Amino acid sequence: MNKPLILVVEDDMPIRNLITTTLKAHGYRSITSLNGETAILEASSHNPDIILLDLGLPDIDGVEVIHRVRSWSNMPIIVISARSEDSDKIKALDAGADDYLTKPFSVEELLARLRVTQRRLSALQIGAVNTESVFVNGKLKVDFAAGCACLDGQELHLTPSEYKLLCLLCKNVGKVLTHTFITQQIWGRSWENDVASLRVFMATLRKKLEKDPDAPQYIQTHIGVGYRMMKVE
């Protein structure tokens, strides 16, 4: 089996060298781009498994790169950027990024984000999130065809909105979903009161799903940004 190919889009040489050296040491292949236009060409010609993308590029903004890649591909994109404001994260994630890592970052965190993205990609490839299949994550089991969910063999009694929310998270396991994306998918709109409603539904869903809602195992909160369904072994 070929080693995963990572496209590293980073114009800062020390950071680029750190990333590529780390990737090589942990069994990844990599190609590099120093600007956005070249990155788009490399992505289309080499079809990498994952893109690591800086936002502050010398020619076009990284968010524009995400938009253009998303016009023809769903390849995973992990943003690595010094921009740490929630608004920057939301803009990149809403454009189609799968994850967001803020500089400075640790090598261990980068590798962990890559592993999460690979697991999500593998799940998609084997059809684990197909709407006609059964999704299993740890002790959680969601039967999309039957329209029911079970935890540790016991059926969860969910409201229609809670079930829709759970299915959306399951179908995007490992991916950060923004408040805007979730509310648009659940209610077809994204108003301020919809985000407040989302927090309420998420709290009630967690009470039914998590043994300890204060230390969630399945649903991770990204404060000010959104939520992510974690992969449970």
Side-chain angles (χ1 to χ4, degrees):
M1 182 181 295
N2 289 334
K3 295 178 180 179
L5 177 63
I6 313 296
L7 171 57
V8 180
V9 188
E10 173 62 71
D11 64 318
D12 186 298
M13 187 172 67
I15 296 177
R16 186 173 67 249
N17 290 344
L18 170 64
I19 293 173
T20 56
T21 300
T22 299
L23 293 176
K24 183 176 181 180
H26 290 83
Y28 295 96
R29 295 176 296 142
S30 67
I31 52 177
T32 61
S33 295
L34 309 186
N35 59 60
E37 294 291 353
T38 304
I40 294 166
L41 289 173
E42 295 283 13
S44 62
S45 59
H46 292 279
N47 194 30
D49 295 288
I50 300 172
I51 299 176
L52 297 179
L53 175 68
D54 182 29
L55 294 183
L57 300 172
D59 55 347
I60 59 176
D61 191 82
V63 174
E64 174 64 18
V65 175
I66 298 170
H67 278 299
R68 288 167 63 175
V69 170
R70 281 289 170 264
S71 69
W72 53 269
S73 174
N74 286 320
M75 64 179 65
I77 300 173
I78 300 176
V79 169
I80 301 178
S81 177
R83 301 177 190 174
S84 58
E85 296 294 324
D86 287 345
S87 58
D88 293 312
K89 297 178 183 179
I90 291 168
K91 189 181 297 183
L93 291 165
D94 277 342
D98 292 79
D99 206 348
Y100 197 108
L101 188 59
T102 304
K103 297 176 183 176
F105 58 90
S106 69
V107 166
E108 290 76 14
E109 185 175 10
L110 172 61
L111 293 170
R113 299 295 180 93
L114 285 171
R115 289 192 296 269
V116 167
T117 302
Q118 283 183 278
R119 287 197 294 267
R120 175 176 173 267
L121 194 58
S122 296
L124 288 169
Q125 289 172 340
I126 64 176
V129 293
N130 189 286
T131 54
E132 297 178 357
S133 69
V134 175
F135 172 84
V136 177
N137 187 20
K139 295 182 179 180
L140 173 65
K141 178 180 177 181
V142 181
D143 188 328
F144 297 119
C148 64
C150 297
L151 183 67
D152 204 11
Q154 299 295 315
E155 184 173 354
L156 293 170
H157 298 287
L158 305 175
T159 67
S161 291
E162 289 170 350
Y163 180 73
K164 287 176 67 177
L165 179 56
L166 178 61
C167 288
L168 182 64
L169 290 166
C170 291
K171 292 172 186 177
N172 292 276
V173 63
K175 181 175 181 177
V176 179
L177 303 182
T178 65
H179 297 132
T180 300
F181 177 82
I182 295 173
T183 53
Q184 286 177 341
Q185 294 296 310
I186 301 297
W187 293 295
R189 60 182 191 268
S190 185
W191 297 340
E192 187 174 342
N193 60 336
D194 292 326
V195 176
S197 298
L198 172 61
R199 292 193 178 100
V200 173
F201 282 117
M202 187 63 72
T204 59
L205 176 60
R206 274 192 166 136
K207 287 180 180 179
K208 299 174 182 180
L209 185 62
E210 306 282 6
K211 289 185 177 180
D212 182 1
D214 294 327
Q217 181 182 18
Y218 289 97
I219 301 173
Q220 181 183 63
T221 299
H222 290 254
I223 297 173
V225 178
Y227 302 94
R228 182 211 307 255
M229 169 67 74
M230 300 301 293
K231 184 65 177 173
V232 179
E233 301 300 335

